[in-house]
Amino acid sequence: MGKVYRMPDSPKSKPADADIAGLDRPQPAGVNAPGFGSDVVADALRATGIPYIALNPGASYRGLHDSLVNYLGNSQPQMLLCLHEESALAIAHGYAKVTGKAMASAVHSNVGLMHATMAFFNAWCDRMPMVVLGATGPVDATKRRPWIDWIHTSRDQGALVRGYTKWDDQPASPGAAREAILRAHWIANTAPRGPTYINLDAGMQEEKLSEPITPIETARYMPPVMVAPASERVQAAADLLRNATSPVILCGRVSRSEQAWAERVKLAERLGASVITDLKIAASFPTDHPLHAGAPGGTVLAPEAAEAIGNADVILSLDWLDPAGTFKKAGKFGAKVIQVSVDHQLHNGWSMDYQGLPPVDVFIACEPDAAVPALLEALSNVTPRQPEPYRHPLPQPSDDKLTVDHMADALRRAVGKKPVSLTHVSLSWNGASWPLRHPLDYLGSDGGGGVGGGPGISVGAALALKGSGRLPIAVCGDGDLLMGVTALWTAAHYRIPLLVVVANNRSFFNDELHQERVARMRNRPVENRWVGQRISEPDIDIAAMARAQGAQAFGPVTAIGELDKVFAEAIAAVEAGALAVVDVRVEPGYTAATTAAMTRKSD
Ligand SMILES: Cc1ncc(C[n+]2csc(CCOP(=O)(O)OP(=O)(O)O)c2C)c(N)n1
Ligand SMILES: [Mg+2]
């Protein structure tokens, strides 16, 4: 067949931001030739083109730290100091969500790695690339300092994160470390993407180079990997789709490319297919398009989406996060299934984040960006069906209590026509309240369901968006914000503009609904669902916590009428380059559909 494969966009690492580059400048050290093992590591890191390394320091990598400052001059990559390892990795995670490329992080020996595990897992489940460097006290016991080097040395340290990293290594020489960095970068950025980890022996880092290391052409060790769809599979899928009377497209893990976005819209329109998207993953299709079924959901499927799946005769999954679970949730299901994905290459036995095994009739093993143009070509002469258009009314909050919908309503008014990237949304967020019309309009969730990722991921995303003309907005639950609040300091220090809106229901409310369900199942009082969940008495002064990190803080906002003014001021602050945080006291509550699904007695 003819042209069936377009090279997917290959995002380049974004060059370092000029404002940030002016910060944390070291005295010139006059070092211009590698003299130690860690200088070789630093050179390799620079060769990857990674602009930043988010870190929390530690003596296990003091050799590398010195090389980054005094050999590379804290530039390419530049350090981003973080107050917790979890936020160091979350920042890299958010950066990857925007750029599609790995950033670097560094964490201290086994203890820093222990703090970082949650963020590894979030990035792993979100299929986001990152290169993480760690270290161990000297593997050679004769070189260990008493006590501290012993407790910070462990055999097979990478085992701590191996279940949720694509690859890890503990190179024994500077040459091997250079190779490990290039490999880690290459593997992390190759689909299915994910975090990689390199444990640098303190002894290896600190050893003087006995002879200069032979230069290599580093780019040749990180070749771009492109997988084209098999044409016979594309034909089989096209045959199914051509003859479908009620096709459905599940738009899942796709790139941030505008061209690929336009091609998905073209494919859906050519088929007259209903399209479903999911708030767990980034924007993949215009959510107010007449073919988009209902509002994007997180935990639950919109009724329109469930109906479309139930009535579908052919379903095209573009690397949908959980086809089996979605078919189960739809209730009725009898469709033929086309699955486009390379995700199966990543699955291992530690975590079940691969989800249920779906029935599949045609499997196309490539990324959706490569399959869609091939399908478009194979389906060049179809007569699309003309379905009833879906309508997408905005929620109309009516009662006088300040709800998340009021908050979204006021925020939408305040941003007007400015391009916005929602870097994160709270669990209480209503997908109907914010139409998504561009691949960067929404960046998806934390991936691993690890509460506390929202602030760090948003700081990383805002870093990558700096200078793009997009206004980054994070909507965090109070529980999420409080677990990750110190990530805000990194945004303040490095002058990363970001608006954080806290949907503060003074509760780990999600779990109130779980307790309500258990109470219903057991015929016990639902009134007690709040015990051990509410974050009040005292109420936490979130604005003060944000101010303490260097943010411009607003609130608590307790009246609907205050929202417009406060958001206007906060947005003006962000546009002037600041980090702004608005604490909005919202009534506890999720959308009616989510609440009903989470509190019903059965299943
Ligand atoms: C690290 C971690 N700890 C605990 C949980 C369990 N959990 C899931 S949602 C949630 C509540 C989150 O609270 P908040 O961010 O305020 O959102 P809300 O549900 O109140 O809207 C908790 C504790 C989790 N998913 N991850
Ligand atoms: Mg809450």
Side-chain angles (χ1 to χ4, degrees), residues 62-74:
R62 63 187 189 181
L64 177 65
H65 200 115
D66 170 71
S67 298
L68 293 172
V69 175
N70 290 317
Y71 175 54
L72 295 189
N74 195 22

Side-chain angles (χ1 to χ4, degrees), residues 50 69 74 90 130 271 340-341 353 380 386 504 575:
I50 288 175
V69 175
N74 195 22
M130 57 169 72
L271 295 167
V340 179
S341 179
D353 63 277
S380 49
Q386 299 295 336
N504 181 3
E575 289 188 325

Side-chain angles (χ1 to χ4, degrees), residues 347-412:
H347 303 167
N348 68 40
W350 188 84
S351 157
M352 312 295 146
D353 63 277
Y354 43 72
Q355 309 292 331
L357 187 63
V360 172
D361 300 281
V362 178
F363 192 97
I364 306 181
C366 71
E367 289 190 83
D369 280 19
V372 170
L375 286 168
L376 273 173
E377 176 146 324
L379 290 163
S380 49
N381 50 1
V382 286
T383 316
R385 67 178 196 129
Q386 299 295 336
E388 276 292 300
Y390 292 102
R391 293 177 56 252
H392 303 93
L394 292 165
Q396 299 294 327
S398 55
D399 57 347
D400 53 1
K401 290 183 173 157
L402 200 174
T403 64
V404 177
D405 282 349
H406 288 109
M407 192 188 82
D409 211 30
L411 198 54
R412 240 186 14 251

Side-chain angles (χ1 to χ4, degrees), residues 477-479 503-509 535:
D478 50 326
N504 181 3
N505 51 21
R506 287 172 290 165
S507 175
F508 289 109
F509 182 71
I535 314 171

Side-chain angles (χ1 to χ4, degrees), residues 83-96:
L83 305 187
H84 194 289
E85 289 80 359
E86 196 174 319
S87 55
L89 268 72
I91 286 171
H93 182 175
Y95 181 91

Side-chain angles (χ1 to χ4, degrees), residues 37-312:
S38 58
D39 291 345
V40 176
V41 176
D43 268 337
L45 210 50
R46 179 171 279 179
T48 64
I50 288 175
Y52 301 107
I53 178 162
L55 56 80
N56 187 265
S60 59
Y61 73 86
R62 63 187 189 181
L64 177 65
H65 200 115
D66 170 71
S67 298
L68 293 172
V69 175
N70 290 317
Y71 175 54
L72 295 189
N74 195 22
S75 173
Q76 301 173 327
Q78 181 177 2
M79 292 177 174
L80 301 178
L81 179 60
C82 300
L83 305 187
H84 194 289
E85 289 80 359
E86 196 174 319
S87 55
L89 268 72
I91 286 171
H93 182 175
Y95 181 91
K97 276 175 173 288
V98 174
T99 63
K101 281 282 198 186
M103 210 185 95
S105 316
V107 299
H108 170 48
S109 70
N110 47 5
V111 282
L113 190 63
M114 286 169 177
H115 264 181
T117 50
M118 180 73 258
F120 263 104
F121 185 68
N122 273 339
W124 164 266
C125 293
D126 206 21
R127 307 297 186 249
M128 286 296 154
M130 57 169 72
V131 174
V132 185
L133 304 183
T136 174
V139 170
D140 180 348
T142 62
K143 296 200 173 124
R144 279 180 215 149
R145 295 172 293 157
W147 183 63
I148 190 73
D149 271 350
W150 288 81
I151 55 172
H152 288 171
T153 303
S154 39
R155 190 181 318 289
D156 195 11
Q157 193 201 78
L160 202 55
V161 292
R162 193 163 299 137
Y164 38 97
T165 44
K166 277 191 81 179
W167 178 77
D168 72 283
D169 195 14
Q170 185 178 310
S173 69
R178 174 173 67 183
E179 181 167 326
I181 299 268
L182 303 181
R183 192 191 300 269
H185 187 252
W186 180 59
I187 291 178
N189 285 312
T190 302
R193 298 171 187 82
T196 51
Y197 178 64
I198 303 174
N199 180 18
L200 301 165
D201 172 26
M204 184 279 293
Q205 294 174 58
E206 297 189 17
E207 214 165 82
K208 251 187 138 115
L209 291 180
S210 49
E211 55 188 44
I213 184 156
T214 323
I216 56 168
E217 277 181 70
T218 46
R220 296 183 66 206
Y221 295 86
M222 301 176 285
V225 177
M226 304 286 171
V227 180
S231 55
E232 168 261 329
R233 302 277 80 197
V234 171
Q235 278 313 330
D239 289 346
L240 281 179
L241 289 166
R242 191 177 298 111
N243 298 318
T245 54
S246 45
V248 166
I249 301 179
L250 302 175
C251 275
R253 288 180 286 226
V254 295
S255 78
R256 300 303 91 221
S257 152
E258 285 180 12
Q259 185 183 338
W261 174 281
E263 284 165 351
R264 285 190 295 278
V265 173
K266 203 164 158 191
L267 180 64
E269 288 175 352
R270 186 164 295 174
L271 295 167
S274 298
V275 178
I276 299 168
T277 64
D278 186 338
L279 285 182
K280 289 194 282 301
I281 34 188
S284 53
F285 195 88
T287 58
D288 57 355
H289 189 286
L291 289 170
H292 192 282
T299 329
V300 296
L301 267 182
E304 297 89 339
E307 197 185 322
I309 292 172
N311 294 335

Side-chain angles (χ1 to χ4, degrees), residues 118 426-428 449-451 476-481 483 503 505 507-511 535 590:
M118 180 73 258
S426 59
L427 291 164
S428 53
V451 172
C476 295
D478 50 326
D480 186 37
L481 191 280
M483 282 196 204
N505 51 21
S507 175
F508 289 109
F509 182 71
N510 177 76
D511 289 87
I535 314 171
Y590 286 177

